[in-house]
Amino acid sequence: MDNAFVVALLFWPAVVLLSAGINMLVSWTFSWSELVFDYLIGVVAGALLFLGTQADPNGATAFFFVFSHGLPGLLWLASDGFRDAMGSPETYLWVMAGIRLGATLWAAAWDHLSAYIEAKLGPGQIFFSLLVCPAKLPFAWVTSGVGFLIWLGGLFNAIFGDGKAGFAGGVFFTEFKPSSTSYHATTVGFTVHTWKGKTPFKHELYHTRQYIYMGDWMIPFWLLGCLWGLASAGISDEHEVSADLAYGADEDDEIGNPLEVAAYHLS
């Protein structure tokens, strides 16, 4: 595993694709276009995984290594004890693979129950959230940091306004205008923000699991997916080009943003 091309083109893309497959299988949904993006993310994150485990990576490499791999990446860079415990970069790569696959499976299994009971206050939701949050919190720290700042704003709105904020599905969630009859929501790392309406937990929790194997690359590739969504609508005979298919997807086919398609199929 000391070959950069093997790690970047084969090993880590395989980990990301397997994780995505687990997410889709347990969720009982599918998107081939997401798998295309999963492979591309795997290549980028795999290259940075290899470079980040080499001796004395430069500042940019170190940042994007953590951007790709979150807390496990930071521990490798910052903790001599952690590196000694791993023993070698090769062992670390296999441990990283096991962590991503296991976290995806664990989160997907428990999210079924979390989505069922939604955001109802009570010991059940808190219990499930505490079980699943360790699988969701470590991997997308940059995006999640931004999301947590938004959550604090939502908490302020919940205390002094008519909003709602809480902890469900292993993530922090907000509902800014829960009385609205329509909904619009965004998942930002380990936070979910519903700008209007009730939180569509099944859909948004799927996105929180994507952050496990995509890391902070979820948002850059989601933006790239907007262009794919517009292009897919443009070449389709049954859809008009619209913003809805840039940041969303059709519920019945493969038209739309590849990082949204499988989640929309759950709706």
Side-chain angles (χ1 to χ4, degrees), residues 121 151 164-168 171-174:
L121 296 177
W151 183 83
K164 187 176 183 179
F167 180 59
V171 295
F172 297 92
F173 77 94
T174 57

Side-chain angles (χ1 to χ4, degrees), residues 200-216:
F201 271 91
K202 185 181 293 185
H203 179 113
E204 298 305 326
L205 290 181
Y206 183 88
H207 289 316
T208 67
R209 298 191 296 274
Q210 286 176 312
Y211 277 101
I212 294 175
Y213 50 88
M214 296 181 183
D216 279 309

Side-chain angles (χ1 to χ4, degrees), residues 4-231:
F5 293 102
V6 171
V7 175
L9 299 179
L10 296 175
F11 177 73
W12 199 252
V15 172
V16 177
L17 287 169
L18 283 172
S19 298
I22 290 170
N23 193 19
M24 292 178 189
L25 181 62
V26 177
S27 306
W28 203 244
T29 185
F30 180 74
S31 168
W32 63 261
S33 59
E34 182 192 320
L35 294 178
V36 173
F37 273 49
D38 289 327
Y39 179 79
L40 296 175
I41 290 170
V43 170
V44 174
L48 289 160
L49 179 60
F50 180 85
L51 293 173
T53 53
Q54 302 306 297
D56 299 320
N58 60 40
T61 298
F63 173 80
F64 284 108
F65 178 42
V66 176
F67 190 86
S68 302
H69 300 286
L71 178 60
L74 181 62
L75 287 174
W76 176 268
L77 292 175
S79 172
D80 293 336
F82 183 81
R83 288 194 299 274
D84 291 342
M86 290 295 102
S88 68
E90 182 175 0
T91 300
Y92 175 69
L93 263 60
W94 285 107
V95 169
M96 288 281 281
I99 289 173
R100 284 289 172 66
L101 292 167
T104 304
L105 178 59
W106 180 262
W110 285 110
D111 276 351
H112 274 297
L113 289 172
S114 295
Y116 176 75
I117 62 178
E118 297 181 332
K120 299 171 185 175
L121 296 177
Q125 184 57 270
I126 294 173
F127 174 73
F128 294 136
S129 291
L130 291 174
L131 280 175
V132 75
C133 71
K136 295 185 177 182
L137 268 57
F139 300 109
W141 277 25
V142 175
T143 309
S144 296
V146 174
F148 192 74
L149 292 176
I150 299 172
W151 183 83
L152 291 176
L155 179 61
F156 183 88
N157 181 52
I159 295 172
F160 298 102
D162 60 353
K164 187 176 183 179
F167 180 59
V171 295
F172 297 92
F173 77 94
T174 57
E175 293 177 359
F176 284 89
K177 295 181 179 179
S179 60
S180 176
T181 55
S182 60
Y183 77 84
H184 179 66
T186 308
T187 298
V188 186
F190 55 66
T191 66
V192 174
H193 308 291
T194 304
W195 313 109
K196 59 180 181 177
K198 298 293 186 181
T199 303
F201 271 91
K202 185 181 293 185
H203 179 113
E204 298 305 326
L205 290 181
Y206 183 88
H207 289 316
T208 67
R209 298 191 296 274
Q210 286 176 312
Y211 277 101
I212 294 175
Y213 50 88
M214 296 181 183
D216 279 309
W217 290 109
M218 169 74 171
I219 292 298
F221 275 85
W222 184 88
L223 294 173
L224 181 62
C226 291
L227 300 178
W228 178 298
L230 293 174

